[in-house]
Amino acid sequence: MYIELMQYSVLLMAFSMVAAKRFSALVTLFALQSFLLFLLTFSEAAKNGSTRLYIVAGLILAIKVIAIPAFLSRITKKIKVPDGMGLYVNTTLSIFIAALITLLSYYFIRNFLPAMDKEAGAALIISLSVTLIGLFIMIFRIKALAQVVGLLIMENGIFLAGASITDGIPFFVEIAVSFDVFVAVMILGVFVYRINSLFTHIDVDKLNELKG
Amino acid sequence: MEGFVVDWKLSFDALSIFFGFIILLVSIPSWMYSIGYMQGLYSGGRILFAKILLLLFILTMFLVVFSANALLFLIAWELMSLLSYFLVTLDPHEEKASRAGLIYILMAHIGTAFMTAAFLIIYSYSGSFDLSAFKETCLILPLKVKTTVFLCFLVGFGTKAGLIPFHIWLPFAHPEAPSHISAIMSGVMIKIGIYGFLRFVLFTLGVEELWWGNLVLVLAALSAAGGILYALMEKDLKKMLAYSSIENIGIIMLGIGGYMIFVKMNQPLLAVFSLAAALYHIINHAIFKTLLFMGAGSILKTCGTKNMEKLGGLIKLMPVTAFCFLIGALAISALPPLNGFISEWLLLQALFYGALAGATFAKMKIFLALLAGILALTGGLAAACFVKAFGISFLAVPRSKKTETASDSGWSIKAPMIFLTALIFIFGLFAGPVFKILTGVAASVSGLNNGAAAFTFNVLSLAPQEGSGVHLNNLLLSGALVLIGIFVFSIFKVISREKSITYGKTWTCGYYSVNGRNQYTATGFSKPFRVAFSFILMPYRKMEKIRDSYYHVKSFKYEVHTKQLLNEYFYKPVINRIFRFAEWSRKLQQGSVHIYIGYIFLALVFLIIFLKRF
């Protein structure tokens, strides 16, 4: 029961991120969503008593809940740009589109994997929606940092899918992906910093001047 | 995927050894020539670089010819194309050379794509890239597949050989390359295309239908006539030679196409004969085209230009080059008793006998007779073309300052040319024994019975058909020619006993103060042909008058150009369309990261919705 609750909360967090206007809010919400994932994994670990899952949960806590949000907020403070993310689509419409995305995922899963049992199906729908919402944020937010967070949200969605429908992604893949994401965020953060110091803004939509 | 293993198996059968021989025949003199040619043209480091590239290029050509594995063949082939590309663009400051290289590498890759397709089709049936496995598989291929494979090979190898619809790279790449590279490319590399055709179509695939041979013959006739027509219009010496290479490839392909139809017409003896004649022309063209390019190169080196309109009078300034070029020009114009005459005579004989023999193929009679006519026309035009090339560049008086001070180059340039000139005589005079060997090669390619004995009357004479009474003994013929020459000369001496020689400037007709600009030009020489063949060449002129007043024309410009039919009506529209499409598709690339991610998103949503359809 509480596992489903947490899964739905992950989706809820994704929706709130769609609604978020300020970057600091986005980062906080991302940390919250990651924390929910941590709880999910931790409870799974407690249920099975497997050390591996404990380690994965620990990694999520360390990297996604603490390190990455801390790093991102540090960068935001450092580059001193206005906190607003710059929306192509206003919040209301964004939430509406996110709802449509969820509906699309629902139809997709129900049509193509009808044999799946209800709980696993719901988890898959949620994870697909979260992934697509991450992509949506990447597309419709102007500032470069939003792209970074969008990528992280997608990763969260994929992790949820892996954890809920299979018996968990293979352990080493899990660890590798975790570090991968961490390194990716580091690099992207540095990029954002550089972009800012070069162009004095991080508006991705103005980067098309770079086109040859 | 087990077949995707490159094994270094080599095979040394008659065909490979024949082509290996040709590579040696051209590359050794060219190597010697390159030493003298590059001296002073490039810096020391670049010369070393060029030599290493050249060595690798020659090695890859050997690898292509001797490989017994299709994958190895393909790799060597690709290396050969790439290395020759770097050799063409050796001079980094030449804008034209890099453009020519671009066209060359593009066409080479289109050709390779077709070859690869053909190989993969055969591989999907055979499961192995071994050439002997290829040959066995080709026996059981369905007809449709065979036809596809044949067409792919025709385009692929035709591009390398410079057969006419696929030739456009040749007139660009060959003139712009350094001269020893042009010599090797024209002398050997385009023949490697022929080798591929022989190896994969004739030897491996086999001739399945009559129309294959007809198609090859039509393309060959087009190449022969078209190549020489464009050569005749050209005033750039090396470009003219490049076009003439297209012509000669056409002549060679006429022999090969002849083989293909004679096999289908149940004339095995004639088929072998025709193929052997083609092989003979391969050797001959390798010899005299290399020689001519060397001659053109030595002119380019001393006079600094390859434009005929700026040359002239070189026969007195560069006697050795002039003599060698003259012999090469005579040979390529198929004049007896030189080697070019022998192979073209043999080809004509093959076509005539084919026309006579094909009693059950009434249409083929007319077709073959027409082809023989085209071959004869080609020979005539070639003679005109080389009269022009020799006459304008070597005779009369120099047309530019730099030409006046020209002189023969060093021995490293002269010796290979003299060597090749000697070969022209040898392959002309001793045609009998050579042809015997070649019929052996041709018979081994075709797997038909070895009819070598039937074609030689005795050791030194050729006889295309047994018991028909047509023989050619080239030694006797040349002896007769020499005797007639001596006879005419002595009669002339007897008649004009009194000395009535006055010395004057060449071609001045008694006028004085006539300079190089009063002479006949290359463009003027080719005018009758431009008019006669205007339906193909489509000449047009541009006039430009700059005048002070109506009565005083200050300067006058007059240009004559010809249109390249195929370029104008096929390649240009296609290329334009590709560029327009590329221009249009640039709209997709707005440079906005959001839109790029949006594309991914849309693709994903599209797949989600329509997954069931796929």
Side-chain angles (χ1 to χ4, degrees):
Chain A
M1 175 61 201
Y2 62 92
I3 287 185
E4 271 98 68
L5 194 65
M6 275 189 281
Q7 285 172 345
Y8 283 106
S9 311
V10 170
L11 186 61
L12 183 67
M13 287 300 136
F15 270 81
S16 356
M17 278 189 267
V18 168
K21 277 182 182 166
R22 286 173 305 114
F23 188 72
S24 50
L26 193 64
V27 174
T28 319
L29 285 166
F30 168 72
L32 255 173
Q33 192 187 42
S34 303
F35 185 69
L36 284 168
L37 280 184
F38 158 71
L39 284 182
L40 266 170
T41 325
F42 190 78
S43 61
E44 194 73 22
K47 206 157 68 184
N48 299 347
S50 91
T51 357
R52 291 181 164 189
L53 277 178
Y54 278 122
I55 296 175
V56 172
L59 273 176
I60 291 177
L61 188 65
I63 293 177
K64 280 193 188 157
V65 183
I66 300 167
I68 291 179
F71 177 72
L72 285 177
S73 17
R74 223 188 93 206
I75 285 206
T76 351
K77 267 179 209 139
K78 229 178 172 178
I79 58 180
K80 292 189 190 100
V81 288
D83 205 17
M85 265 188 306
L87 311 179
Y88 277 128
V89 179
N90 68 24
T91 0
T92 330
L93 195 55
S94 295
I95 289 179
F96 182 66
I97 292 173
L100 278 184
I101 287 172
T102 316
L103 197 66
L104 182 74
S105 324
Y106 175 82
Y107 275 112
F108 176 68
I109 301 297
R110 283 284 171 265
N111 275 330
F112 287 94
L113 303 163
M116 189 165 270
D117 66 74
K118 221 169 177 187
E119 286 88 40
L124 201 55
I125 291 164
I126 290 167
S127 49
L128 186 60
S129 319
V130 171
T131 313
L132 288 177
I133 286 170
L135 200 51
F136 171 80
I137 288 179
M138 286 178 88
I139 298 171
F140 288 103
R141 298 291 177 265
I142 294 171
K143 295 271 161 71
L145 279 168
Q147 265 81 48
V148 180
V149 179
L151 190 72
L152 289 168
I153 296 167
M154 286 179 74
E155 211 280 327
N156 271 354
I158 292 165
F159 177 84
L160 185 63
S164 54
I165 53 163
T166 61
D167 295 331
I169 304 168
F171 179 61
F172 282 105
V173 178
E174 194 73 71
I175 289 181
V177 169
S178 296
F179 282 110
D180 231 22
V181 168
F182 188 58
V183 171
V185 170
M186 284 295 185
I187 293 171
L188 288 172
V190 171
F191 262 124
V192 170
Y193 186 74
R194 289 269 159 218
I195 291 172
N196 188 52
S197 54
L198 256 173
F199 297 95
T200 64
H201 65 74
I202 52 170
D203 297 357
V204 175
D205 62 335
K206 288 182 195 155
L207 289 183
N208 57 6
E209 292 156 16
L210 294 172
K211 192 181 78 159
Chain B
M1 300 298 274
E2 278 165 26
F4 278 93
V5 179
V6 182
D7 59 358
W8 293 86
K9 219 168 78 184
L10 301 178
S11 85
F12 297 91
D13 61 355
L15 188 63
S16 301
I17 290 173
F18 171 74
F19 276 91
F21 168 71
I22 288 189
I23 295 172
L24 271 183
L25 193 71
V26 173
S27 47
I28 291 176
S30 300
W31 180 270
M32 262 189 77
Y33 179 86
S34 77
I35 296 170
Y37 180 74
M38 288 196 290
Q39 212 167 33
L41 277 187
Y42 307 110
S43 63
R46 192 159 286 280
I47 289 178
L48 185 70
F49 177 61
K51 276 184 184 162
I52 294 170
L53 276 185
L54 182 57
L55 189 66
L56 287 174
F57 178 47
I58 294 168
L59 283 178
T60 50
M61 284 198 289
F62 274 115
L63 199 59
V64 168
V65 169
F66 288 119
S67 75
N69 181 293
L71 219 50
L72 179 63
F73 178 90
L74 215 55
I75 290 169
W77 182 273
E78 195 58 20
L79 275 177
M80 181 179 81
S81 297
L82 285 176
L83 285 168
S84 51
Y85 165 76
F86 286 117
L87 286 168
V88 168
T89 57
L90 197 62
D91 202 344
H93 306 300
E94 285 277 344
E95 186 77 20
K96 265 177 156 178
S98 59
R99 203 182 118 72
L102 183 69
I103 296 175
Y104 169 51
I105 200 82
L106 265 177
M107 286 307 283
H109 276 99
I110 291 171
T112 314
F114 275 96
M115 275 165 53
T116 315
F119 282 161
L120 287 178
I121 290 171
I122 302 179
Y123 172 74
S124 70
Y125 285 88
S126 72
S128 154
F129 277 109
D130 203 68
L131 287 193
S132 47
F134 265 32
K135 191 169 163 63
E136 281 161 28
T137 315
C138 283
L139 295 175
I140 53 160
L141 284 184
L143 184 61
K144 263 188 190 162
V145 177
K146 262 190 170 177
T147 310
T148 319
V149 169
F150 163 71
L151 289 175
C152 284
F153 276 142
L154 184 63
V155 177
F157 294 123
T159 311
K160 196 56 157 191
L163 210 57
I164 245 186
F166 327 111
H167 70 288
I168 52 160
W169 62 273
L170 214 147
F172 290 98
H174 286 204
E176 293 310 327
S179 297
H180 59 286
I181 303 301
S182 324
I184 294 187
M185 279 174 78
S186 241
V188 195
M189 196 190 72
I190 56 174
K191 266 78 153 203
I192 303 286
I194 303 266
Y195 165 78
F197 193 79
L198 290 177
R199 167 69 67 198
F200 287 100
V201 176
L202 265 53
F203 182 74
T204 307
L205 198 60
V207 186
E208 198 60 36
E209 283 189 278
L210 190 63
W211 69 265
W212 292 12
N214 288 345
L215 179 64
V216 171
L217 280 175
V218 167
L219 292 185
L222 275 178
S223 304
I228 198 62
L229 261 182
Y230 286 121
L232 192 50
M233 293 304 121
E234 206 49 64
K235 58 177 198 260
D236 179 323
L237 205 51
K238 282 175 82 177
K239 207 163 186 175
M240 184 273 287
L241 290 174
Y243 274 120
S244 137
S245 287
I246 297 175
E247 173 227 343
N248 281 284
I249 286 294
I251 293 174
I252 294 164
M253 288 306 273
L254 269 182
I256 293 168
Y259 166 87
M260 292 170 79
I261 59 165
F262 292 143
V263 164
K264 278 286 118 187
M265 284 161 73
N266 284 324
Q267 301 275 353
L269 219 56
L270 211 50
V272 172
F273 179 74
S274 172
L275 186 56
L279 293 179
Y280 206 151
H281 200 72
I282 290 177
I283 301 185
N284 292 340
H285 180 243
I287 295 171
F288 49 60
K289 190 46 66 66
T290 310
L291 172 62
L292 288 169
F293 263 117
M294 285 176 177
S298 106
I299 292 173
L300 175 61
K301 189 174 156 75
T302 49
C303 303
T305 181
K306 46 191 174 143
N307 187 349
M308 285 183 220
E309 313 281 29
K310 296 212 167 106
L311 301 171
L314 292 175
I315 195 165
K316 287 168 200 155
L317 304 166
M318 311 170 74
V320 178
T321 310
F323 175 74
C324 295
F325 197 93
L326 178 63
I327 297 297
L330 290 178
I332 205 171
S333 315
L335 290 180
L338 299 172
N339 62 353
F341 163 70
I342 305 287
S343 46
E344 288 200 26
W345 183 79
L346 288 170
L347 272 174
L348 271 174
Q349 291 294 337
L351 292 174
F352 281 134
Y353 279 108
L356 290 179
T360 46
F361 298 87
K363 278 180 203 155
M364 295 306 289
K365 268 189 169 177
I366 301 167
F367 182 52
L368 285 172
L370 264 177
L371 288 176
I374 287 177
L375 184 57
L377 171 72
T378 307
L381 289 175
C385 178
F386 281 90
V387 164
K388 176 183 111 174
F390 187 81
I392 301 292
S393 336
F394 286 94
L395 302 183
V397 294
R399 291 174 175 83
S400 67
K401 272 264 147 53
K402 218 174 168 193
T403 313
E404 284 168 12
T405 56
S407 66
D408 256 329
S409 317
W411 277 106
S412 145
I413 286 184
K414 275 190 282 187
M417 295 205 297
I418 294 169
F419 170 69
L420 289 170
T421 312
L423 279 184
I424 285 183
F425 281 108
I426 290 170
F427 278 97
L429 296 180
F430 300 100
V434 175
F435 197 62
K436 208 164 200 171
I437 299 169
L438 292 181
T439 37
V441 176
S444 86
V445 171
S446 59
L448 301 169
N449 74 319
N450 188 339
F455 303 131
T456 38
F457 182 59
N458 54 34
V459 185
L460 290 173
S461 337
L462 299 166
Q465 201 80 331
E466 222 169 348
S468 66
V470 177
H471 309 299
L472 175 68
N473 187 332
N474 209 30
L475 268 180
L476 275 182
L477 177 66
S478 41
L481 281 174
V482 170
L483 277 181
I484 291 172
I486 292 172
F487 183 65
V488 170
F489 185 71
S490 44
I491 284 181
F492 176 76
K493 271 284 169 191
V494 169
I495 290 174
S496 63
R497 201 163 317 156
E498 70 269 29
K499 240 186 180 176
S500 58
I501 300 171
T502 49
Y503 291 94
K505 270 193 191 169
T506 319
W507 283 5
T508 55
C509 301
Y511 291 101
Y512 39 92
S513 88
V514 168
N515 62 17
R517 295 194 42 138
N518 297 63
Q519 295 174 88
Y520 209 9
T521 59
T523 316
F525 186 92
S526 54
K527 168 101 186 185
F529 301 98
R530 201 156 41 242
V531 174
F533 292 96
S534 57
F535 60 101
I536 300 173
L537 295 166
M538 302 216 254
Y540 61 95
R541 43 186 93 159
K542 268 195 234 162
M543 267 188 276
E544 209 178 84
K545 285 181 198 173
I546 297 173
R547 30 177 126 215
D548 280 347
S549 67
Y550 182 76
Y551 300 103
H552 182 222
V553 177
K554 211 171 163 190
S555 77
F556 185 88
K557 218 159 121 189
Y558 176 85
E559 290 174 36
V560 176
H561 297 278
T562 52
K563 265 188 196 163
Q564 300 267 338
L565 266 187
L566 205 68
N567 283 12
E568 209 75 17
Y569 294 104
F570 178 69
Y571 282 107
K572 260 192 195 162
V574 168
I575 291 168
N576 280 346
R577 213 149 288 177
I578 290 173
F579 270 100
R580 230 177 299 149
F581 176 73
E583 203 61 39
W584 175 80
S585 67
R586 257 182 79 112
K587 283 182 198 155
L588 287 173
Q589 302 242 350
Q590 291 288 350
S592 154
V593 178
H594 293 109
I595 291 181
Y596 293 152
I597 304 171
Y599 289 150
I600 302 174
F601 183 72
L602 280 181
L604 205 62
V605 169
F606 180 79
L607 282 177
I608 284 175
I609 296 172
F610 294 105
L611 188 66
K612 219 162 202 170
R613 299 274 169 84
F614 298 118

